[in-house]
Amino acid sequence: MIRQDFLWEGGPSFYFDTELFPPSTDSFALGYFAAPKSGSRVCDLGCGTGLLGALLMARNAGLTLHNVELQERALALAGRTFAENGWQAEFALGDLRDAAVLPAAGTMDYAVSNPPYFRAGSGASAPEPSRQSAREESNCTIADVCTAAARVLRWGGSFAVVYRPERLVDLLVSLRAHGMEPKRLRFVQTKDVPSLVLVESRRGGKPGLTVEPPLIIGSGEWEKVYFR
């Protein structure tokens, strides 16, 4: 079922489909963590219904968004969200593993992604193919996402991603293997137990990782994640 919601009362609206990608904590956390500068060209790899892009635009309307998504139904809702709010963006339907679907190599200042977290076959699969591809690496792996990010980013451009703590090593190894050096890391947690990890890397960056204080769910800062 297609639904419309608002980031805050009277603020930007966004559309989602309960059968595809309902709004999730990880997108809101990444939208808060990512830090593209005004005027940046940003590529959302696997944009889904466009919530992450909406979160970025709500915080910095001076961005130029390029959205890449495999599922046509999801991309249509992303386009609806951007049109509803009067935001300009580009939309590409297709597989991020296909270079022809991506923006031209080296043209993006910033990239973001909320990729599938789980290895294919590592647990029970979601019954719907759309949710299965969003949850597990049935269509693309973290290495595929890193390959796409490294391709579209200019030298010195940054890539922000949200992932699961138990796969943090896989993420960091893949980022470095694709020429993107991890520069910022922040855990999202309730009390002492991390549930998500946020990482920003830089293409061609020098070694040196800053571990930021954890983002505590339910804290005063957490209210800012949801524009409260």
Side-chain angles (χ1 to χ4, degrees):
M1 179 181 295
I2 296 175
R3 294 182 178 175
Q4 182 186 26
D5 204 346
F6 294 84
L7 297 181
W8 63 83
E9 186 176 354
S13 64
F14 62 95
Y15 289 90
F16 64 96
D17 190 330
T18 55
E19 296 179 3
L20 292 173
F21 315 106
S24 60
T25 298
D26 42 9
S27 291
F28 277 90
L30 181 57
Y32 179 72
F33 173 80
K37 296 179 180 179
S38 185
S40 293
R41 298 159 294 178
V42 181
C43 183
D44 187 352
L45 296 164
C47 72
T49 57
L51 174 58
L52 179 53
L55 293 166
L56 295 177
M57 292 296 289
R59 289 191 162 90
N60 188 347
L63 304 176
T64 299
L65 262 292
H66 188 111
N67 299 277
V68 178
E69 173 54 39
L70 180 64
Q71 299 191 47
E72 186 173 3
R73 288 170 57 199
L75 193 65
L77 288 179
R80 189 172 174 183
T81 287
F82 274 72
E84 183 88 8
N85 294 291
W87 296 327
Q88 297 297 316
E90 296 182 357
F91 301 90
L93 177 65
D95 194 324
L96 60 78
R97 294 172 295 183
D98 182 356
V101 175
L102 301 174
T107 58
M108 296 289 109
D109 302 301
Y110 208 94
V112 292
S113 186
N114 181 358
Y117 295 151
F118 306 105
R119 292 187 179 90
S122 62
S125 296
E128 305 90 352
S130 60
R131 292 200 179 190
Q132 179 181 340
S133 64
R135 280 179 47 83
E136 63 182 73
E137 296 177 326
S138 55
N139 288 318
C140 74
T141 65
I142 190 59
D144 294 327
V145 176
C146 288
T147 298
R151 179 179 178 80
V152 303
L153 285 175
R154 62 170 174 79
W155 194 256
S158 295
F159 174 43
V161 61
V162 58
Y163 216 51
R164 295 282 293 190
E166 61 266 30
R167 295 202 65 194
L168 176 57
V169 172
D170 293 334
L171 172 61
L172 297 180
V173 167
S174 189
L175 288 170
R176 180 170 276 182
H178 289 84
M180 296 180 291
E181 187 66 23
K183 301 299 293 182
R184 295 169 55 217
L185 183 151
R186 191 172 194 186
F187 289 107
V188 178
Q189 61 189 65
T190 302
K191 295 183 179 179
D192 298 326
V193 183
S195 56
L196 297 169
V197 63
L198 303 159
V199 177
E200 183 186 70
S201 59
R202 184 177 304 136
R203 184 169 179 242
K206 296 180 180 179
L209 175 65
T210 298
V211 179
E212 300 179 352
L215 180 56
I216 307 298
I217 296 174
S219 67
E221 186 181 11
W222 184 251
E223 296 295 298
K224 297 178 183 178
V225 170
Y226 286 89
F227 300 93
R228 295 170 186 158

